[in-house]
Amino acid sequence: MLRRIRNRIWAIEDRLTVREQIAAATAGLCLVVAFAIAFGAAYVGRIEATRLINREMIQIAEMTSDRLDRYFYSVFHRVSSYTSFDVIRSHIDTPEKLNPIFDRLNASFPDFNWIAYVSADGTVRAASDGVRVGESVVEEAWFLRGLQGAVSEDRPDFAALEVATRGSGDEPLRFVKFAFPVRNANGVAAGVLVVNVHWREPEEIRVAMQRAGEEIVIVTPSGEVVLGPKGFRNHYPQTKVAEMQKRKHGAFLEENTGREMLSAYAFMDGHREFSGLGWVVIARQPAAAAFAPLRETFWTIVGIGTLVAVIGMMVAGVIANRISSPLRALAFDADRIGRESGPAMLPRQRGSFEVIYLSTALRSLLLRLGFVERMTQEAEAKAAEDAKKFESDLASLRKLAETDPLTNLLNRRAFITSADDAMRYFQRYSRPIAMLVVDIDHFKNVNDSYGHAGGDAVIRKIGALIAQTIRETDKVARFGGEEFVVLLREVDEHGAHELAERIRMIVAESVTPFDGREIAVTISIGCAAITAHDRDVEELIERADRALYAAKSAGRNCIRLAPAPAPRQTRAA
């Protein structure tokens, strides 16, 4: 079989000239290379496009999840604050007086649908618009859990609110329920304050986050799609939802009515003390639409490759003819020399002229290659110089973006980045950190007496003194106005207090020369050391800030230590 194929190839080669063989081989090579590049680009492009699209859609799902969590947190916090209102707690024994209060609250917040007070025996004593007043809800889960603490759930109360409120068509509206215990003067749970929140605002958030060609759906832990495009009735398996909740965010391919969809998801895990509803935000896009530009690119490359192959075949014919001409001349001279008598003139006829010509062409080619090489080296040198300049400019821009222009200290954003890194190091290796919040005493008097230029000089002086006093591993930043924040690493509360005292004394003993005068100021410092109960750096800074206010209240020019935070269970209660 191989011999027959080889003999057929030889037979074809015998019928083709050198010029035709070179032209055919060049055209075939161009086609093979073009298709190889096209398929390779399509494969790599699909992988890269999938990664980029998934990353972009994950970001959309995460932003939608964050907006929903923050919205529900604001409602959660708002309803929680109602339980401490004196006007509500004072009418626990006379609940009929709460009805107008609830009506006003319900009218003030369009996203509220129903607000009610339920006594400890499970009876609805007061409610907006009088809905369900007198009914017993003792067997409903939210009431029993609401007596113990904060409750949030997304199960709609169809039986109670179907008559009062209906959605489009015959389908009742759905609500998110928040319930909190209401305690009397003795701290005993006297009942439950419950609020039903309309889904109108979450739906507006979902629609606002959608882009053309994409859709966003909200899925409950049971796999039910609670918010999504009209007519979308897909149901996700609970195992799939549980996997998405565990992974927090990611992407996957799914089949929907015969279409392949690219889907990215983000788990709604709440915000601050609001633990979330357990929903999953899914951003979806048809794979065909996502990869349409890739297919167009593939066929464009194939078309260009085919055109290049045709042009290459034509050019190859000309080149092959040029290459085969010396061979034909040599063959003619050799045949003529064999027929003629006399001295052999073959060396001269065999192509001494062609050799010289070829040598000249090669030297010319080498000269051109050398010129191109020099041009390439110059271009590379210029590119390296431009890259170095770009790197320098980028470093300058980065410094400008991370530095306070007045003091040349870190700004808030750069400081928070370093502080978050220290917080993660503490959480992983239990290495101590501490935070100082420094404020210049009576700074307004400085501005009033010396003008803002004098105030700026004082701020620069205080920032320089703090930076000179701390270690290289510590960070200091100006948070705005006359306030500075210092991050201390590998320092406990005692060491932080000693360093704060040293800073306070140095400032108290220093003066700021300005306009031929000397400005003397003092500072107050709040100090807080990290504990296992601090959830993030913002809480540590907040505790140090509260200690600063204590130092201000104590007469200024002093230091106050922040007390350790209470355990989370205590604060939640």
Side-chain angles (χ1 to χ4, degrees), residues 174-467:
R174 304 185 63 148
F175 307 94
V176 177
K177 193 184 304 306
F178 294 94
F180 296 86
V182 180
R183 304 186 184 278
N184 56 23
N186 297 325
V188 179
V192 174
L193 181 68
V194 59
V195 172
N196 275 355
V197 180
H198 204 287
W199 287 26
R200 188 182 300 108
E201 181 69 19
E203 172 62 13
E204 291 178 356
I205 293 175
R206 184 195 70 82
V207 174
M209 295 301 295
Q210 283 188 156
R211 302 185 306 179
E214 297 179 356
E215 57 188 22
I216 297 177
V217 298
I218 314 298
V219 181
T220 65
S222 63
E224 178 187 6
V225 175
V226 294
L227 290 176
K230 186 175 181 181
F232 186 80
R233 292 292 182 268
N234 194 17
H235 189 281
Y236 291 86
Q238 289 189 3
T239 55
K240 183 65 176 179
V241 177
E243 179 184 354
M244 290 189 285
Q245 290 176 334
K246 181 179 179 181
R247 293 180 178 272
K248 302 298 184 182
H249 58 82
F252 60 94
L253 286 172
E254 61 174 314
E255 291 288 338
N256 182 35
T257 62
R259 292 193 308 168
E260 188 179 43
M261 304 289 290
L262 279 174
S263 299
Y265 61 88
F267 174 56
M268 292 176 56
D269 54 359
H271 182 69
R272 295 189 177 179
E273 61 266 26
F274 174 61
S275 59
L277 298 171
W279 292 354
V280 176
V281 178
I282 301 178
R284 309 169 70 249
Q285 182 182 16
F291 295 130
L294 187 62
R295 289 194 298 271
E296 295 178 1
T297 302
F298 169 78
W299 288 112
T300 300
I301 294 175
V302 171
I304 294 175
T306 304
L307 179 61
V308 169
V310 173
I311 296 175
M313 185 168 56
M314 297 171 61
V315 174
V318 176
I319 295 174
N321 184 63
R322 186 71 175 269
I323 294 174
S324 61
S325 294
L327 296 177
R328 290 197 299 269
L330 288 175
F332 175 78
D333 289 339
D335 181 70
R336 182 174 58 83
I337 290 172
R339 295 175 180 275
E340 292 179 353
S341 61
M345 301 295 291
L346 184 60
R348 188 172 182 178
Q349 293 178 350
R350 286 180 55 189
S352 59
F353 174 78
E354 297 291 339
V355 171
I356 295 174
Y357 181 80
L358 181 59
S359 176
T360 303
L362 288 175
R363 283 196 299 269
S364 176
L365 179 60
L366 290 175
L367 288 175
R368 293 181 182 179
L369 289 176
F371 175 75
V372 171
E373 184 178 2
R374 286 194 301 274
M375 294 292 292
T376 302
Q377 291 175 350
E378 292 176 0
E380 290 178 350
K382 183 66 170 58
E385 181 181 353
D386 292 343
K388 189 175 298 184
K389 184 177 181 301
F390 175 76
E391 184 178 355
S392 176
D393 294 343
L394 186 62
S396 300
L397 289 175
R398 185 180 294 112
K399 181 179 180 181
L400 182 63
E402 296 178 351
T403 304
D404 174 58
L406 178 60
T407 62
N408 284 330
L409 300 176
L410 296 178
N411 58 20
R412 183 186 187 94
R413 183 181 66 178
F415 180 84
I416 290 299
T417 300
S418 298
D420 285 338
D421 179 70
M423 186 67 181
R424 288 190 293 269
Y425 202 72
F426 163 75
Q427 292 171 343
R428 185 171 183 179
Y429 301 107
S430 300
R431 307 304 300 174
I433 60 174
M435 196 71 64
L436 303 181
V437 178
V438 182
D439 189 82
I440 303 174
D441 297 330
H442 302 295
F443 185 72
K444 184 177 182 300
N445 296 338
V446 176
N447 280 335
D448 294 341
S449 301
Y450 301 95
H452 289 287
D456 291 346
V458 170
I459 290 175
R460 284 193 294 268
K461 178 69 173 182
I462 300 302
L465 290 175
I466 296 174

Side-chain angles (χ1 to χ4, degrees), residues 433-511:
I433 60 174
M435 196 71 64
L436 303 181
V437 178
V438 182
D439 189 82
I440 303 174
D441 297 330
H442 302 295
F443 185 72
K444 184 177 182 300
N445 296 338
V446 176
N447 280 335
D448 294 341
S449 301
Y450 301 95
H452 289 287
D456 291 346
V458 170
I459 290 175
R460 284 193 294 268
K461 178 69 173 182
I462 300 302
L465 290 175
I466 296 174
Q468 294 168 5
T469 306
I470 63 176
R471 302 165 302 176
E472 292 185 1
T473 56
D474 302 329
K475 301 293 182 182
V476 58
R478 181 187 176 210
F479 261 37
E482 67 275 17
E483 186 176 84
F484 301 87
V485 179
V486 183
L487 169 67
L488 305 176
R489 304 186 72 153
E490 303 293 337
V491 174
D492 58 11
E493 186 177 69
H494 177 71
H497 184 273
E498 287 185 349
L499 180 59
E501 178 62 22
R502 188 157 64 251
I503 294 174
R504 186 195 67 79
M505 291 180 62
I506 290 174
V507 173
E509 295 172 355
S510 302
V511 294

